[in-house]
């Protein structure tokens, strides 16, 4: 069996496992409803993540400010991916503060902070959650594996194991693929605004 075939089968197994995970699906649906409600009320969505999750954060925000599947008004969303902010803050305060400083500067009570993490253990994501909660933001953890240290700390959590057997079950790449599926579901829900 080729590497590509193994990869596709691993992705399919992870998707199949998510499709059977009623708890994660119900949680994801509730978050989608929350996002729609807050955006309709004029609040904004802020998204953070490291590495591939930073790319997913940027992708999620641009689908809201630009468009997903249909033309609709632009929606207030932003991802912390600005290289100037990240390098300045990392240099001056330490990398664990790159997201929390951004949240403190731009977040407002009633906004939604979406935290993407395959492990739930990144210090900068944990600090961002603390900062968001302190200013009255609603925190949403889109997490992987067992949720890590972030499990049980957010207002809403969607935890995907990334499992399902086969090659790549429970790895960061599979978790990020599942996160992307959920993000696209949220975008589809928001497209109705």
């Amino acid at each position: 069996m080729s590497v590509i075939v193994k990869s596709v089968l691993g992705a399919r197994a992870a998707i199949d496992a998510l499709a059977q995970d009623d708890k994660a699906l119900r949680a994801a649906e509730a978050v989608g409803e929350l996002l729609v409600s807050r955006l309709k009320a004029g609040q904004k969505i802020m998204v953070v993540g490291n590495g591939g999750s930073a790319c997913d954060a940027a992708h999620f925000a641009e689908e809201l400010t630009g468009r997903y599947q249909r033309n609709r008004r632009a929606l207030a969303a932003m991802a912390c991916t600005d290289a100037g902010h990240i390098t300045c803050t990392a240099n001056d305060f330490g990398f664990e503060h790159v997201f929390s400083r951004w949240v403190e500067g731009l977040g407002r009570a009633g906004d939604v902070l979406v935290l993407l993490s395959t492990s739930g253990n990144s210090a900068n994501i944990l600090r961002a959650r603390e900062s968001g909660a302190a200013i009255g933001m609603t925190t949403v953890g889109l997490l992987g594996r067992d949720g890590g240290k972030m499990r049980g700390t957010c207002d809403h959590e969607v935890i995907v194991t990334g499992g399902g057997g086969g090659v790549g079950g429970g790895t960061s790449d599979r978790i990020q693929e599942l996160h992307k599926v959920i993000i696209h579901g949220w975008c589809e829900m928001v497209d109705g605004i």
Side-chain angles (χ1 to χ4, degrees), residues 4-53:
I4 297 299
V5 171
K6 286 179 185 177
S7 181
V8 169
L9 292 175
R12 182 173 69 185
I15 286 279
D16 288 345
L18 177 58
Q20 302 292 319
D21 188 342
D22 289 335
K23 183 177 180 181
L25 295 175
R26 282 193 310 274
E29 187 76 22
V31 169
E33 291 168 0
L34 168 75
L35 297 175
V36 168
S37 172
R38 294 296 172 86
L39 288 167
K40 281 183 176 178
Q43 304 299 137
K44 70 180 167 294
I45 310 301
M46 297 175 67
V47 195
V48 298
N50 290 302
S53 295

Side-chain angles (χ1 to χ4, degrees), residues 16 65 79 90 103 125 132 149 164 172:
D16 288 345
T65 59
V103 168
I125 300 290
K149 293 176 184 175
S172 293

Side-chain angles (χ1 to χ4, degrees), residues 46-66:
M46 297 175 67
V47 195
V48 298
N50 290 302
S53 295
C55 297
D56 290 340
H59 177 75
F60 185 26
E62 61 83 9
E63 295 285 21
L64 300 178
T65 59

Side-chain angles (χ1 to χ4, degrees), residues 104-177:
E104 290 169 18
L106 299 171
R108 299 294 176 261
D111 290 344
V112 179
L113 176 61
V114 179
L115 305 129
L116 306 178
S117 179
T118 61
S119 70
N121 294 320
S122 299
N124 57 3
I125 300 290
L126 292 163
R127 282 186 184 266
R129 189 215 57 81
E130 291 169 4
S131 293
I135 59 178
M137 297 179 77
T138 299
T139 57
V140 173
L142 183 51
L143 309 170
R145 298 185 183 91
D146 66 358
K149 293 176 184 175
M150 191 169 296
R151 183 184 193 120
T153 67
C154 294
D155 297 308
H156 300 270
E157 295 172 346
V158 181
I159 301 174
V160 298
T161 64
V167 177
T171 58
S172 293
D173 56 330
R174 292 293 172 242
I175 292 165
Q176 287 171 337
E177 290 166 359

